[in-house]
């Protein structure tokens, strides 16, 4: 098993295994406990454990903590499941897109590439030096802090902000 994880970066203090799916790896990351709780509350575990492929832009606990006080607690309530699902699926693309491919699309499109998500949001991907940035429909920007974490059903890119759909 160790050889399988050797090519992948550590995330949240945990080894990420390319032969495990997105959910199986995410539950081991200490930096993604809020995201995992949100995925469970939204009922998306089975979806993100399915064959995919998916590219997930995974906000850290710190990213969720930057939202207005009480936002996460409110979103985790059962009556807000639809909004929570919309927000989470705005972090998921129905493709296996490694960072070099994303950077190539950005270059091919003249510096900005529209990224349609499974949640119906469109993110704008750009480069800031060697870092991929994503801007949501509200103008909020997230940086990819750990790229290319291979999964059996896609790839995770860790980001430092929560992306939101247009209001």
């Amino acid at each position: 098993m160790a050889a399988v994880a050797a090519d992948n970066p550590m995330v949240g203090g945990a080894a990420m295994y390319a032969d495990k799916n997105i959910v199986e790896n995410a539950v081991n990351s200490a930096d993604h406990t809020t995201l995992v709780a949100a995925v469970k509350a939204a009922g998306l575990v089975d979806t993100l454990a399915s064959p995919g492929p998916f590219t997930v832009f995974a906000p850290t606990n710190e990213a969720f903590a930057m939202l207005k006080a009480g936002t996460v607690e409110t979103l985790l309530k059962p009556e807000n499941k639809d909004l929570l699902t919309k927000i989470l699926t705005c972090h998921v693309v129905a493709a296996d897109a490694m960072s070099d491919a994303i950077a190539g699309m950005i270059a091919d499109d003249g510096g900005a590439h529209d990224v349609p998500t499974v949640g119906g949001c469109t993110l704008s991907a750009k480069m800031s030096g060697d870092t991929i940035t994503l801007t949501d429909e509200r103008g909020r920007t997230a940086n990819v802090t750990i790229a290319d974490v291979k999964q059996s059903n896609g790839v995770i890119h860790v980001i430092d902000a929560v992306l939101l759909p247009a209001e």
Side-chain angles (χ1 to χ4, degrees):
M1 277 291 214
V4 177
D7 295 336
N8 263 348
M10 298 277 285
V11 176
M16 297 287 115
Y17 296 97
D19 61 350
K20 291 187 176 186
N21 68 46
I22 290 165
V23 174
E24 290 170 328
N25 275 318
V27 297
N28 294 317
S29 170
D31 291 343
H32 291 90
T33 55
T34 303
L35 178 60
V36 169
V39 166
K40 288 177 180 175
L44 293 172
V45 171
D46 288 345
T47 301
L48 292 176
S50 73
F54 301 109
T55 296
V56 175
F57 297 105
T60 61
N61 295 340
E62 285 183 7
F64 279 102
M66 289 190 300
L67 294 172
K68 191 170 66 176
T71 300
V72 173
E73 294 77 10
T74 299
L75 286 171
L76 291 176
K77 293 180 180 175
E79 62 268 24
N80 295 318
K81 183 178 178 180
D82 289 346
L83 178 57
L84 177 61
T85 300
K86 173 79 170 171
I87 290 169
L88 293 175
T89 56
C90 282
H91 291 80
V92 180
V93 178
D96 188 342
M98 299 298 276
S99 63
D100 58 350
I102 297 169
M105 289 181 267
I106 293 168
D108 289 347
D109 289 351
H113 178 71
D114 286 344
V115 179
T117 68
V118 298
C121 304
T122 301
L123 306 175
S124 177
K126 296 179 181 170
M127 297 300 295
S128 176
D130 290 336
T131 302
I132 294 171
T133 66
L134 300 162
T135 303
D136 67 17
E137 295 171 338
R138 296 186 190 192
R140 298 167 49 90
T141 299
N143 298 296
V144 173
T145 57
I146 302 173
D148 301 335
V149 186
K150 296 179 204 125
Q151 316 290 299
S152 65
N153 60 343
V155 61
I156 291 175
H157 301 290
V158 177
I159 58 172
D160 63 0
V162 175
L163 301 165
L164 299 172
E167 291 190 61

